[in-house]
Amino acid sequence: MELKKDSNTVSIDMLLIVHSEKRRAAQGTHSDRQADPGALPQRRGGLQGGGNGMQKWQKIEGNSLNGNLADKQHPQQTQVITSYDNQGTQLTVEVHPRDTMPELLKKFSLDKRLQGDKNGNTRPRQPGGKDAHAYPWDRSSLKSMPLDLQQFEKLDTYASQVTVKSGLDELVNDLLQEAHSDLERVRAIWIWICHHIEYDIEAAQEKDRQAFKPSNILQTQKTNCDGYAGLFERMCRIAGVQCMTVPGYSKGFGYQTGQSFSGEFDHAWNAVFLEGRWHLLDSTWGSGLVDTATSKFTFLYNEFYFLTHPALFIEDHFPDNKNWQLLKPPQSLRQFENNMYHKSEFYNKGMLSAHPDTPVIRTVNGKATITVESCAPTPFMFMLNGKQEHGLLSLQKNGMKLDVYPPTMGTHKLQIFAKGSSDVYSSVLEYTLKCNYVDSGVRLPSELHQPVGPSWFSEQMGIRKPSHPDPIIHTSDGRCSVSFGVEEGVSVLASLHGDEGPVTEETQRRYIFQLQREKRTELKVQLPRAGKFALKIFVKKRQEPGNYAFVFNYLLCCSNTKVNWPVFPESFGNWGQGNELLEPLSGVLPANRNVPFKLKLPGVAKALVKGQDTWPLTLNGEGYWEGSCSTAGCQEVYVMVLENANHNFYSYILKYTVNDQ
């Protein structure tokens, strides 16, 4: 068909596409986890249309059908009209100079730069049954095809260092110098985009359409998810690899647990055709993150979103067409909204599953229990309403268990963090807790840190074979004894913490008396009152500088209101291995009394007790040093030892205080 206007001959080509299901109103706003929460929706030029057949005009740039809307264009320039009817039928009309090749024909031609695949397929085939993966995830792999990431190391290094010299064609040609298969071509393009293109917050806020054009992206090296997906598709097509842009909903930046999705789509990603199947990836989320406080983008490469297993990809990506889920069976939008969202770091750090598997959970008798299964021993921590309180987290060989006791009724935010090979904890799960009952008898000490109870981690730190493997110790008389093996060269320190007096910073170690027996350490504990206390355990390698490191704690519970134990005597550094105190165990002695002493002090030459006067101790046949001391006229009493008979220097090992008269 020809149309004459202003003596310029033009041709009109028409492309009719019939969709199996009605399109949504738009492949609309493609903000994502990196978008500013205040950014307004943006529309994708040329792909937006209403069911009333309203037309949108656009200028084609190069070989792409995406470009800027134009109210008026010169007839010598290529023009495209795209329209949809109520049944979802798409009609695209192209007006172009007669002597030029139609862009629509180029788009679906056998030109090597734009062909769908090497078999001559001119259009990417739609996903079908052979592309579908089983749902739920079978735990076999994080990827949708077998990959050895180590084989990509050389290619990744090369691709990340390629620079833009002129245009997109030359960039792709440079990237493909080290790529020898479609998989490697896709990998090279992925690596380059993830390491060179940053998220453009300003363009997203200002709805700057120029930011989505490949030429502008290469110039500024900034865009948003529209631009990421469009650029990736364009580069793949230049490389001769079938690629599609997939719009949809995402659980990205600003997502609230349990929220519903409606209206325009908020994200875009890609599907690539490799080895006879479609695979999914998201270069926007693979490139980095935006700090919500500073609105600054940081490159932080995320391997998880490269050829992600569809059963995992569906957790935070819901496409406009269910076929692009690549799942059997596909998930509904309601299922997407209600399913548990495991963040990418959940899988990056080796997590396998979590229970409950719903984002909103209700407490039972004021308590909620969460368990996580992991591939290997992993450190965890949690925060309830932004604080590490009101919970008991115990590490297990392959996971963790967390019991949470919300302090008030209502809705609470629970975050779970995990630490991988680095020293940084990353958020892996978020729950919304709904509590309709509070058990006032389960108030945990604020100083009860995580984790509770011995585990693989305490064994790694040199503490072995504990006498109490469980994290909670109940005592009826306010006393208990805890022991464990200690690796050679490791020192142990313990302290007791409660929310109310009389335990203070000065006395938190005085309610614990530490004994060394061969390769085991024993902690004798006396509680000052009834209640719940945190018994913290610290370790330090003797030959290394620095402070003691926290390892774990026990929760000590006593309901006996008659309990009122005093502090133990204060021990000094010379209180050595094998020493044992039988009496007096109380660190506070009565005034004006003769107090008996009995201790085991292996290897010492002499021992004495010093008050106002000096009282020698004698060694009996059972190996104990015995004697007595008068507390008259003194405020402090010391036990002293002479370690070498050839010396005259006595060392302090124990200190008692004397009650005022």
Side-chain angles (χ1 to χ4, degrees), residues 275-301:
E275 300 183 7
R277 298 180 76 175
W278 284 105
H279 303 269
L280 302 170
L281 53 83
D282 186 341
S283 57
T284 310
W285 290 8
S287 63
L289 299 170
V290 170
D291 188 324
T292 56
T294 63
S295 295
K296 299 294 184 181
F297 175 85
T298 300
F299 280 106
L300 186 63
Y301 178 71

Side-chain angles (χ1 to χ4, degrees), residues 222-421:
K222 293 182 178 182
T223 187
N224 76 347
C225 58
D226 266 307
Y228 277 100
L231 179 64
F232 196 95
E233 178 180 349
R234 181 80 173 275
M235 294 176 73
C236 282
R237 290 185 178 274
I238 293 175
V241 178
Q242 290 188 15
C243 180
M244 298 286 286
T245 294
V246 181
Y249 295 122
S250 68
K251 293 181 180 178
F253 176 79
Y255 168 72
Q256 299 294 323
T257 302
Q259 80 173 59
S260 59
F261 294 86
S262 62
E264 295 181 337
F265 298 115
D266 64 3
H267 194 40
W269 54 94
N270 294 102
V272 291
F273 194 76
L274 297 171
E275 300 183 7
R277 298 180 76 175
W278 284 105
H279 303 269
L280 302 170
L281 53 83
D282 186 341
S283 57
T284 310
W285 290 8
S287 63
L289 299 170
V290 170
D291 188 324
T292 56
T294 63
S295 295
K296 299 294 184 181
F297 175 85
T298 300
F299 280 106
L300 186 63
Y301 178 71
N302 192 343
E303 173 65 35
F304 179 77
Y305 290 105
F306 178 73
L307 307 187
T308 314
H309 194 293
L312 304 180
F313 204 75
I314 191 62
E315 290 200 21
D316 46 17
H317 292 73
F318 187 84
D320 68 333
N321 185 326
K322 65 181 180 181
N323 292 334
W324 284 116
Q325 295 180 24
L326 307 184
L327 290 177
K328 184 178 182 181
Q331 300 294 288
S332 68
L333 180 59
R334 180 62 61 87
Q335 288 175 305
F336 175 73
E337 293 171 343
N338 294 335
N339 284 349
M340 185 64 199
Y341 171 37
H342 306 89
K343 299 185 178 183
S344 62
E345 285 300 290
F346 181 90
Y347 298 107
N348 284 339
K349 295 188 183 300
M351 312 295 109
L352 294 173
S353 65
H355 183 82
D357 57 359
T358 55
V360 180
I361 54 180
R362 297 182 181 276
T363 59
V364 177
N365 296 325
K367 170 185 171 183
T369 299
I370 295 91
T371 58
V372 174
E373 181 184 0
S374 60
C375 295
T378 304
F380 289 88
M381 62 168 283
F382 79 94
M383 296 187 77
L384 183 66
N385 302 325
K387 296 182 179 181
Q388 298 183 53
E389 298 179 357
H390 311 295
L392 299 173
L393 187 151
S394 55
L395 299 178
Q396 299 174 346
K397 184 177 181 180
N398 290 310
M400 70 89 177
K401 178 183 177 183
L402 171 63
D403 291 329
V404 182
Y405 304 88
T408 60
M409 292 188 294
T411 301
H412 304 266
K413 180 180 180 180
L414 174 64
Q415 297 170 283
I416 296 176
F417 303 82
K419 183 169 68 173
S421 56

Side-chain angles (χ1 to χ4, degrees), residues 384-540:
L384 183 66
N385 302 325
K387 296 182 179 181
Q388 298 183 53
E389 298 179 357
H390 311 295
L392 299 173
L393 187 151
S394 55
L395 299 178
Q396 299 174 346
K397 184 177 181 180
N398 290 310
M400 70 89 177
K401 178 183 177 183
L402 171 63
D403 291 329
V404 182
Y405 304 88
T408 60
M409 292 188 294
T411 301
H412 304 266
K413 180 180 180 180
L414 174 64
Q415 297 170 283
I416 296 176
F417 303 82
K419 183 169 68 173
S421 56
S422 68
D423 290 332
V424 179
Y425 279 91
S426 301
S427 176
V428 295
L429 288 173
E430 284 190 13
Y431 287 96
T432 296
L433 293 186
K434 294 187 177 295
C435 178
N436 57 8
Y437 170 77
V438 175
D439 186 350
S440 58
V442 192
R443 296 290 185 182
L444 302 177
S446 59
E447 287 291 328
L448 185 73
H449 292 171
Q450 313 307 316
V452 292
S455 66
W456 60 265
F457 178 68
S458 55
E459 184 173 339
Q460 189 179 85
M461 297 295 285
I463 295 179
R464 313 245 171 100
K465 298 180 179 180
S467 60
H468 294 70
D470 295 329
I472 303 177
I473 299 175
H474 293 274
T475 169
S476 58
D477 64 356
R479 294 186 296 182
C480 67
S481 177
V482 178
S483 65
F484 36 76
V486 179
E487 186 179 300
E488 187 174 354
V490 173
S491 297
V492 177
L493 191 66
S495 59
L496 187 71
H497 303 262
D499 284 342
E500 299 177 2
V503 180
T504 63
E505 186 173 350
E506 291 75 20
T507 62
Q508 60 191 16
R509 293 188 56 215
R510 295 287 302 282
Y511 290 95
I512 305 165
F513 197 76
Q514 187 168 324
L515 302 173
Q516 296 293 127
R517 302 178 185 276
E518 296 182 352
K519 293 184 178 181
R520 290 187 70 82
T521 292
E522 180 182 1
L523 303 175
K524 292 182 177 293
V525 183
Q526 294 183 163
L527 301 181
R529 58 174 175 81
K532 293 182 174 62
F533 297 84
L535 175 61
K536 292 187 177 183
I537 311 296
F538 303 82
V539 300
K540 178 183 178 298

